[in-house]
Every structure is written in C-alpha cells, then in structure tokens.
Amino acid sequence: MNAIISNPVFFKKIIDALCILIERVNIQCDETGLSLQAIDDSQLSLISMYINRNYFESFECSSNTVFGVQLQSIQQILKCVNKTMTLKIRTNDKKTKLKFDIENSGKSISVSTQLIDLETEKFNIPIIEPTASITMPTTEFRKLVSTLNQNGDMVNITVYKNNVFLSTDKNPNFTIKLDSTYSKGTFITSNAKEPFDICFSLRYLSFFTKACPLSEKVTIEINKNFPLIVKFDFPLEVGQLKYFLAPVTNDQQFLMSDYNQKEQESFELFHFNNSMDSEKVNNCEKSIENDDVLINGGVLINNGAVGCAQSENQQAKDSTCDDSTKELIEASFKIIGWTQMDIQ
C-alpha cells in the first residue's frame, strides 16, 4: 500500500475517534480504499469504518491486503501533523512495518510502527430498515449527550409513531422530546406501529461524540430488537464511520456477539408495557395527538413541560435501569501504552 494525504488533520481525527474504543485493529486495503471493523474489549460496541480512494491525493493498493496495527502508536505519530503538511503512508516490502513520511516546507521526518498479526472475528451484523431515525447537527448531538450524562448513566429511548422521547435512570422528572422543533436541522422519521422502549449506556454515547468533528450531521437509527446505530458520513462522500451499541435490559446486558449472524432471530429488549390493554393504548394515542404524552409509566410531557404522573406501572418502569444493570455495563476500559516506534 502507498497513499498520500495532502491534509492529514482529518485523518488524525479519524484515528482519534477510533482510539477512544479500540486499541488494535486489522485494516483491510484494496483498490477501493481502506476499511475496518472492530469490537471493543467489553463487546458492548462495534465500529465499522471505510475511507474510499477519493479521499487520498494518491492511492495504490494492487491486491487485497490486511495488516494489523496498534492505533495508539499511529495516534502518537499524527500528533504533530497540521493542515500545511503532507502525509505519506506505506507498507514496507515485507509488510512488517507501516511507514509514515511527514513533509512540511521541504523538511521531512520518517517514522514507522510495527505491524502485528491479529486474529479477529468477522461480525456480520444484519442490515435492517430502522424503525426510527434521527438526523441532527453533530454540534446538537454533542450537547444532547452532555445533557443526558448530567442526569444519569443510562438513557431510555421511547419510540411511538412520530415521537421519540429520551429519559434517564437517575432523574425520573427529566425527559427530552425529539422532533423537528428540537433544533434547526433535526429531522425525525418513524414507522413504529407499536410503542417500544430501549435502553443504552450514556458512557458509550459520550465515546461516540469523539467522531463529531468528522461530519456536520449524525444519523441515529433505532430498533427495538437491534443495537443502536450512530453514523457519521464524511464530507464529499469519501467515507463513513459507524458505531453500533448493544442495548441493556434490567436483567441482561446484551453484547455485540449476540447479534452476529442472527438475522432470523428476534430479541425482545423492552416492551412499552407488557400488561397494557387496548384501552390504555387508545388513551396514549389520544394523548399524543393532544401533545400530552404519558411515557415510562410516570413522566408526563405537556407542551414541553415535564412533571410527575402516577400510574399502576410506575414501579415497573422506574426499574428499567436499576443498579444491577449499571453494574453490568461498567466494563473496564484500559488504554495500553504506546508500541515502540523506530525513528528512521
């Protein structure tokens, strides 16, 4: 492989977004560009990324090649780059090293990092049409995740018809309604015929915001029987970074491996209300039409105002994200030291 990047700052941001979750990864190189797929050590999230050849000033890869790298070593190399520099990336003839030539104003420095052999499992996550999709500016996404983190460790997403509501485990009086009026540039699409809830770790959503500098907009795809998908499309259609996040239930933390090659299986993660009868569903529909919505068995939203409401399902819904659940998702996140580099 031999590639030239005229503005390496964007490439540096990609590596930063990857490093927040994974340490080592196999990069696949072919004539179309670079791609990778990796799962974090806790198996709660999966990253899929590709950069097509149009991003590079020059790109050569004559055959399909897979090489393993320590991302932190690449991150360290790229710390010094700026937009005035040119970055050349190439493998040596034996494909044992990845070499970086950084050029600026006639001066250059060459740094190499050792390639590693990695045995990784290929995840075949089925592609399905999302029940609900949210597109918003990445600046608003970052603010939204920050606000949610100030109110809890878990976010519960409720989807019903064209409505998406976000609530947290630690503040029962806190709920955010997402619709086209939430912020300029925010769009919601939903084909949910039945209401459902699903819960995710806010800690991981915070990790995902590291990719916000890569795109002006982010798309969030929601299904009741599937991981959350957070997508960042690179400018000029030169690539994409996609995060998958496994959901949490009050008695089980699902892992990404639970979804590998399971297109025919169904995972009932959360039900809006297992005991909800048709009369209550009708009442809920009428409330939504009046912009008065009772969700989570106890949070009442009325034209943007949030208050407490009581229902017979209050206790059950309040336990959606209990202490045992939070313990399950507190997976250790350890960043290893830099790999040794050879200064050429």
Side-chain angles (χ1 to χ4, degrees):
M1 184 201 75
N2 196 325
I4 299 175
I5 303 173
S6 57
N7 182 358
V9 174
F10 187 81
F11 187 72
K12 174 183 179 296
K13 293 177 181 178
I14 294 175
I15 298 300
D16 290 341
L18 297 174
C19 282
I20 197 69
L21 282 172
I22 54 178
E23 301 169 354
R24 302 182 300 171
V25 66
N26 278 329
I27 297 177
Q28 182 171 337
C29 172
D30 58 30
E31 61 181 8
T32 65
L34 302 177
S35 63
L36 62 84
Q37 185 192 82
I39 193 167
D40 77 305
D41 289 342
S42 67
Q43 296 194 39
L44 299 185
S45 66
L46 181 143
I47 298 177
S48 176
M49 189 273 298
Y50 73 88
I51 309 173
N52 69 47
R53 61 178 302 119
N54 294 331
Y55 166 71
F56 302 92
E57 182 177 330
S58 173
F59 185 85
E60 297 178 7
C61 188
S62 57
S63 61
N64 291 350
T65 303
V66 177
F67 49 89
V69 297
Q70 289 275 6
L71 286 174
Q72 284 78 17
S73 65
I74 297 177
Q75 186 182 45
Q76 187 184 39
I77 292 171
L78 297 179
K79 280 184 177 180
C80 65
V81 302
N82 59 51
K83 61 183 180 180
T84 66
M85 297 178 176
T86 298
L87 177 66
K88 297 180 180 179
I89 307 174
R90 54 194 170 90
T91 54
N92 63 351
D93 294 338
K94 296 182 179 181
K95 295 182 180 179
T96 58
K97 292 183 179 182
L98 189 63
K99 296 189 175 183
F100 298 82
D101 298 322
I102 303 171
E103 300 178 357
N104 186 28
S105 302
K107 300 179 181 180
S108 65
I109 182 173
S110 295
V111 185
S112 68
T113 181
Q114 198 76 22
L115 296 179
I116 55 178
D117 293 326
L118 290 177
E119 293 184 5
T120 58
E121 179 182 4
K122 177 67 175 179
F123 277 76
N124 296 313
I125 305 300
I127 300 174
I128 61 176
E129 188 71 19
T131 302
S133 178
I134 305 166
T135 300
M136 64 170 52
T138 49
T139 52
E140 293 297 329
F141 176 65
R142 192 195 299 268
K143 293 177 185 177
L144 175 62
V145 173
S146 176
T147 300
L148 291 168
N149 268 287
Q150 293 171 19
N151 287 274
D153 298 323
M154 309 290 296
V155 58
N156 189 75
I157 303 175
T158 301
V159 178
Y160 186 56
K161 290 191 173 180
N162 292 320
N163 297 271
V164 177
F165 303 96
L166 308 178
S167 55
T168 59
D169 55 331
K170 290 186 175 181
N171 189 347
N173 298 329
F174 173 84
T175 303
I176 295 176
K177 179 181 178 181
L178 291 182
D179 57 21
S180 58
T181 65
Y182 174 75
S183 68
K184 184 178 179 180
T186 296
F187 302 95
I188 311 290
T189 59
S190 174
N191 58 6
K193 297 180 180 179
E194 296 181 356
F196 69 89
D197 292 72
I198 191 165
C199 196
F200 297 98
S201 164
L202 283 169
R203 179 168 176 254
Y204 275 79
L205 285 178
S206 295
F207 293 154
F208 298 170
T209 61
K210 190 69 174 179
C212 285
L214 300 175
S215 179
E216 293 184 353
K217 292 185 177 295
V218 58
T219 299
I220 306 161
E221 297 182 354
I222 309 164
N223 280 289
K224 73 172 183 178
N225 59 346
F226 205 66
L228 188 73
I229 301 176
V230 182
K231 298 190 299 185
F232 298 87
D233 291 321
F234 300 160
L236 303 177
E237 299 182 350
V238 297
Q240 182 187 77
L241 179 60
K242 185 187 300 185
Y243 296 100
F244 295 78
L245 180 59
V248 181
T249 70
N250 58 354
D251 60 354
Q252 182 178 2
Q253 164 67 72
F254 282 89
L255 304 177
M256 287 308 305
S257 55
D258 295 324
Y259 299 88
N260 191 20
Q261 297 179 336
K262 293 190 176 183
E263 294 87 343
Q264 304 302 319
E265 297 188 19
S266 175
F267 298 89
E268 294 298 329
L269 305 179
F270 273 116
H271 299 279
F272 186 79
N273 190 337
N274 289 333
S275 61
M276 181 175 285
D277 55 33
S278 58
E279 181 180 355
K280 292 176 183 175
V281 172
N282 291 334
N283 290 337
C284 182
E285 291 176 348
K286 293 177 181 178
S287 294
I288 287 178
E289 291 173 358
N290 295 328
D291 204 22
D292 298 339
V293 185
L294 180 65
I295 62 172
N296 290 341
V299 179
L300 180 65
I301 301 179
N302 186 341
N303 295 323
V306 179
C308 290
Q310 296 297 324
S311 78
E312 62 185 1
N313 300 300
Q314 176 76 54
Q315 184 175 359
K317 299 305 293 185
D318 282 351
S319 64
T320 296
C321 299
D322 58 14
D323 291 339
S324 61
T325 303
K326 288 180 283 184
E327 291 176 0
L328 284 170
I329 59 93
E330 288 298 325
S332 59
F333 188 74
K334 179 179 65 175
I335 300 299
I336 62 173
W338 305 118
T339 57
Q340 184 175 358
M341 296 180 297
D342 300 320
I343 305 299
Q344 303 299 314

